[in-house]
Amino acid sequence: MKLMVHKRFLRLLSKGRECIWYCQKPKLFISQPVTLTFGRTVRSFHVASPLMMKLLSVEEIFARKSLHQHLTKVQLEYKECLQAISSITMEDQCSEEELRAKRTKISLLAPLIQSIRELDKKHEEMAETEMLLKEEDQALRELAELEKEGCLQDIQQLRAKILELLIPEERVELSDLVLEVTAGVGGQEAMLFTAEVFEMYQGFAQYHGWSFDILEHMTSDLGGLRHASASISGPQSYKKMKFEAGVHRVQRVPKTEKQGRMHTSTMTVAVLPQPTEISFTINQKDLRIDTKRASGAGGQHVNTTDSAVRIVHLPTGVVAECQQERSQLKNREKAMKALRAKLYSMKLEEETSKRYNQRKIQVGTKGRSEKIRTYNFQQDRITDHRISITVHDVKSFLLGEDLLEDMNSLLQELSNQEALMELLEESSQEEQ
Amino acid sequence: MWRRVLRGGHAFIGLRSGGTKALWGFHGLRACSAPALPAGCITALQAVDFWTKQFEGKGVTEPELSSRYIIAYLLGAKTIESLEQQRLKEFLSREETDQLWQLCTQRLSRMPVQYVIGEWDFRDLTLKMRPPVFIPRPETEELVEVVLTDLQRLCGSGATVLEVGCGSGAISVSLLKSLPQLKAFALDQSQEAVDLTRENALRYGVQDRLQVHNIDVVKDADALLGLCGSVAVLVSNPPYLFSQDMTTLQPEILRFEDHAALDGGKDGLNVIKQILTLAPRILPNQGRVYLEVDPRHPPLIQQWVEGNGKSLQYIETRSDICGRPRFCILQNEAPKPDQD
């Protein structure tokens, strides 16, 4: 029976990656090589050092007292809001603003409350079915068996849904972002690696069907990249890419190395959420735009093919430039896009640096200066230092397909769990 | 006459004929000393370096960019950056090398890159370019921006625009492509420009909403007035150079582009004045004129309109991104009919 249920979950798992998080899964809290099932493929992850974090199953989380306490608290809160609104009278002192806050709260909590109620109902059904199982009639018992199976499945799904709804929303859950790659320590070798990583994310974007539009692209003589940026948009793109921000380290014998010595070089990935025009405005007066046409008469007097545009944000000194396009206007639009993202992320960083201090999976912001991953070519392995997970086959990983996706999903899951645990902890502390 | 010479010159350069030499004098001589084809195979990257040095040596402007754009075009891309590193390290085939030498030799004669590769980007369009039709400048991308913003705000769907001096069709085709309800008339005194505008309109599937006519607005105002019904907006990047500045133009412009699209007469206002004279007879009340001009022009135009503009009012001057006063906006304020 248990096996059947498990199979069902696996099938569910293969239906879509979205369900991964709330499905039963072999645990990672093992000191030997573990196998994780990720929908289409089975991958081996090797635990390099004792795991700092354990990926919990839905059951394990539901077994926690703190979760049930939190759910009870939420239901109570919902009820109070409802009462406050329905009992309101014209002369009540309750201000308009308070009311609005309560209404917002209700609409925010409604899906969660709905799921909790459905879960309760399913538990009742389950109890009834259990009764039927004790019947003498064989046919009835078989029927009850079937029903029980369905019930269990529904319960599992509802529990998963509840957990998903509990995960605190990121303030910036946008779908568009600007990816920035910059070569770090290691000269030409670092630049060559930067080019490879940039291509990896181009592959990752293609894998997910996101658009990948290169904004800046500064090459080195040997075909490496000093710095590049690209605008990425598509469903879930920010949600996934934010786990890629940080310092990536490469260990290998560079092509440029004559004596066969291994080098360690670094490059930095920054993931900047792309703000909308409305959410973030830049004063045009703060900008200085440089083009090759700036000197001389311009217009019909000059014919140039250099359409590069450089924009300086005067108050901060932040610069963005683009020479990707043959149209100057297009270059200006792209440079502006890069600049907006840079300024916006500076602003966000200021606001959020305090909020995520304790989190291990540094969500997009503080991670920029932190070493997150090592690509060791000689041992053909990639190690993610945030979760101490190692995966093999660097070449396939750099394609930006299944291997990167799996690593990325794992980060997402652990980050979600981290956020949830944080929430439950806060909630139970309040109780005391 | 000029145009015939140009066309001839274009054909001759490919053949490295002695005739070109006689016509172009000193510069022609330079064009003919094209480097020989390489004996062995070379890669795209090597070719970029080779031609950059050639261009530098012969004083061709933007040597590296020219070399990169031409080679990118040869390999089917817009820019070198958009090609894979691997492709750039591969050897060029014999045919590719031959074609590259032909194209780059044209550039050595100072032919603009846009004519050499036969296309260039304007806003989000890639337009065909062919000598001697005027190559659109980046400032005109901004003119389109100004007109587009106003058209979206002021006019409902189904408005009609008149463009005077359409050249390659950059303005009209851009507007039509951005506004699916818009219709346009485009005029040019040059048959080559009319043909090229039609080709570019066809390329972007807007030919059904665009009428292109070979009309010289200075010589044949009546033809224009008879042709266009009521148009809401008149837009133009007219020839606005002062005649005296023509001699100081870079060889790329002077030798290859249609002078009629550049030379605006003694004060650069010949065509502009003609447009402003005709505008009140073409535009309805509140109809607007958008012009790209020389930075010295806006005060002159404002002055002229006050004396001769009839119902035309000067609205505003806008600057290009380099901060030069570049665009003039005027509006027809037809006198209100007497109220009975």
Side-chain angles (χ1 to χ4, degrees), chain A residues 138-154:
Chain A
Q138 167 115 26
L140 211 59
R141 274 215 312 271
E142 271 170 28
L143 207 70
E145 193 73 48
L146 272 175
E147 213 164 294
K148 186 184 163 189
E149 231 176 81
C151 248
L152 276 174
Q153 197 188 332
D154 289 345

Side-chain angles (χ1 to χ4, degrees), chain B residues 125 148 151 156-163 171-186 197-198 200-213 231:
Chain B
L125 312 177
L148 261 182
L151 272 176
S157 55
T160 304
V161 167
L162 168 65
E163 184 190 0
I171 299 176
S172 287
V173 177
S174 287
L175 291 174
L176 290 170
K177 187 163 173 281
S178 300
L179 303 171
Q181 305 286 320
L182 194 74
K183 291 197 177 76
F185 290 101
T197 294
R198 287 201 179 118
N200 280 322
L202 203 63
R203 201 174 224 209
Y204 285 98
V206 297
Q207 70 278 6
D208 295 341
R209 292 182 284 132
L210 178 65
Q211 284 189 40
V212 196
H213 298 280
V231 293

Side-chain angles (χ1 to χ4, degrees), chain A residues 118-178:
Chain A
E118 277 176 40
L119 184 64
D120 287 344
K121 220 195 258 166
K122 279 288 160 198
H123 278 302
E124 277 166 35
E125 259 178 57
M126 189 68 185
E128 280 168 30
T129 318
E130 298 276 359
M131 294 289 281
L132 280 177
L133 276 173
K134 288 172 194 149
E135 287 279 335
E136 281 191 9
D137 186 351
Q138 167 115 26
L140 211 59
R141 274 215 312 271
E142 271 170 28
L143 207 70
E145 193 73 48
L146 272 175
E147 213 164 294
K148 186 184 163 189
E149 231 176 81
C151 248
L152 276 174
Q153 197 188 332
D154 289 345
I155 286 173
Q156 182 73 12
Q157 277 181 6
L158 280 168
R159 281 177 164 183
K161 196 174 167 194
I162 287 168
L163 290 188
E164 199 183 24
L165 287 168
L166 278 176
I167 293 163
E169 280 282 311
E170 193 82 34
R171 203 173 83 83
V172 199
E173 283 299 353
L174 306 162
S175 59
D176 292 6
L177 64 109
V178 170

Side-chain angles (χ1 to χ4, degrees), chain B residues 25-305:
Chain B
F26 179 60
H27 292 295
L29 263 171
R30 279 184 171 186
C32 291
S33 55
L37 277 163
C41 287
I42 59 165
T43 66
L45 277 180
Q46 287 167 333
V48 169
D49 283 345
F50 176 84
W51 278 104
T52 302
K53 291 202 182 81
Q54 288 293 322
F55 293 148
E56 258 165 14
K58 302 278 163 64
V60 174
T61 51
E62 303 185 312
E64 192 183 352
L65 273 179
S66 300
S67 174
R68 289 165 74 98
Y69 277 128
I70 294 171
I71 288 160
Y73 167 76
L74 185 80
L75 301 179
K78 284 185 182 180
T79 56
I80 286 278
E81 286 85 7
S82 56
L83 286 162
E84 281 173 25
Q85 278 296 320
Q86 197 45 44
R87 181 77 182 89
L88 296 175
K89 288 174 189 155
E90 283 168 18
F91 288 115
L92 297 172
S93 71
R94 199 69 235 170
E95 292 74 40
E96 283 171 336
T97 315
D98 276 347
Q99 205 195 339
L100 180 64
W101 249 248
Q102 249 173 32
L103 294 172
C104 286
T105 306
Q106 291 185 325
R107 179 73 190 111
L108 268 189
S109 78
R110 303 303 293 268
M111 180 186 272
V113 171
Q114 296 96 328
Y115 288 154
V116 171
I117 64 173
E119 63 174 39
W120 201 249
D121 289 1
F122 182 83
R123 296 176 59 89
D124 43 5
L125 312 177
T126 299
L127 299 172
K128 280 193 196 179
M129 295 289 141
R130 197 163 54 219
V133 182
F134 178 76
I135 299 165
R137 311 289 199 256
E139 284 82 356
T140 312
E141 295 185 305
E142 295 180 65
L143 174 67
V144 172
E145 195 76 10
V146 172
V147 179
L148 261 182
T149 319
D150 276 7
L151 272 176
Q152 278 158 345
R153 195 164 45 90
L154 298 174
C155 310
S157 55
T160 304
V161 167
L162 168 65
E163 184 190 0
V164 177
C166 55
S168 61
I171 299 176
S172 287
V173 177
S174 287
L175 291 174
L176 290 170
K177 187 163 173 281
S178 300
L179 303 171
Q181 305 286 320
L182 194 74
K183 291 197 177 76
F185 290 101
L187 320 174
D188 206 292
Q189 45 75 39
S190 138
Q191 186 60 46
E192 281 102 335
V194 167
D195 294 342
L196 192 59
T197 294
R198 287 201 179 118
E199 285 172 47
N200 280 322
L202 203 63
R203 201 174 224 209
Y204 285 98
V206 297
Q207 70 278 6
D208 295 341
R209 292 182 284 132
L210 178 65
Q211 284 189 40
V212 196
H213 298 280
N214 184 4
I215 291 175
D216 185 329
V217 285
V218 178
K219 291 186 191 132
D220 204 355
D222 291 338
L224 167 64
L225 293 172
L227 198 74
C228 316
S230 133
V231 293
V233 163
L234 197 162
V235 55
S236 181
N237 173 21
Y240 57 68
L241 299 187
F242 293 41
S243 290
Q244 58 180 27
D245 293 345
M246 289 296 291
T247 49
T248 60
L249 291 174
Q250 59 189 107
E252 277 82 357
I253 301 174
L254 194 62
R255 285 195 230 151
F256 291 91
E257 286 189 300
D258 189 349
H259 286 201
L262 298 158
D263 190 347
K266 191 164 173 279
D267 55 1
L269 287 171
N270 277 5
V271 181
I272 293 173
K273 281 181 189 164
Q274 178 71 0
I275 290 172
L276 297 179
T277 306
L278 295 172
R281 298 168 66 185
I282 297 168
L283 293 174
N285 189 23
Q286 308 285 306
R288 285 191 161 194
V289 183
Y290 298 86
L291 298 173
E292 182 184 319
V293 298
D294 186 278
R296 291 166 283 182
H297 279 149
L300 297 176
I301 290 173
Q302 192 163 3
Q303 221 176 353
W304 187 88
V305 166

Side-chain angles (χ1 to χ4, degrees), chain A residues 304-416:
Chain A
T304 50
T305 53
D306 189 337
S307 33
V309 174
R310 194 179 122 99
I311 307 180
V312 187
H313 185 248
L314 297 168
T316 57
V318 173
V319 175
E321 51 187 309
C322 181
Q323 49 193 32
Q324 274 303 108
E325 298 282 333
R326 299 197 297 205
S327 151
Q328 183 177 283
L329 188 93
K330 283 273 157 206
N331 277 333
R332 190 177 96 195
E333 281 172 4
K334 285 187 163 188
M336 201 58 208
K337 211 170 186 179
L339 185 77
R340 288 176 64 81
K342 285 180 203 201
L343 291 174
Y344 185 58
S345 109
M346 277 169 67
K347 189 180 151 220
L348 275 184
E349 222 160 300
E350 236 167 71
E351 287 174 8
T352 53
S353 58
K354 292 163 213 142
R355 283 176 55 200
Y356 293 106
N357 266 347
Q358 292 93 26
R359 300 271 289 275
K360 275 188 213 110
I361 301 173
Q362 304 283 340
V363 188
T365 53
K366 218 186 145 196
R368 206 185 293 191
S369 55
E370 188 196 333
K371 183 185 76 190
I372 61 157
R373 212 177 270 161
T374 297
Y375 303 69
N376 186 309
F377 278 69
Q378 265 162 337
Q379 295 166 18
D380 199 24
R381 66 165 169 90
I382 301 106
T383 302
D384 198 294
H385 305 291
R386 291 165 293 184
I387 49 176
S388 298
I389 288 281
T390 292
V391 34
H392 290 276
D393 195 352
V394 177
K395 208 177 157 196
S396 304
F397 194 91
L398 286 173
L399 291 175
E401 293 171 4
D402 289 331
L403 276 183
L404 174 60
E405 168 63 15
D406 293 350
M407 178 78 89
N408 190 276
S409 303
L410 197 58
L411 284 161
Q412 170 87 61
E413 286 161 43
L414 286 165
S415 165
N416 280 349

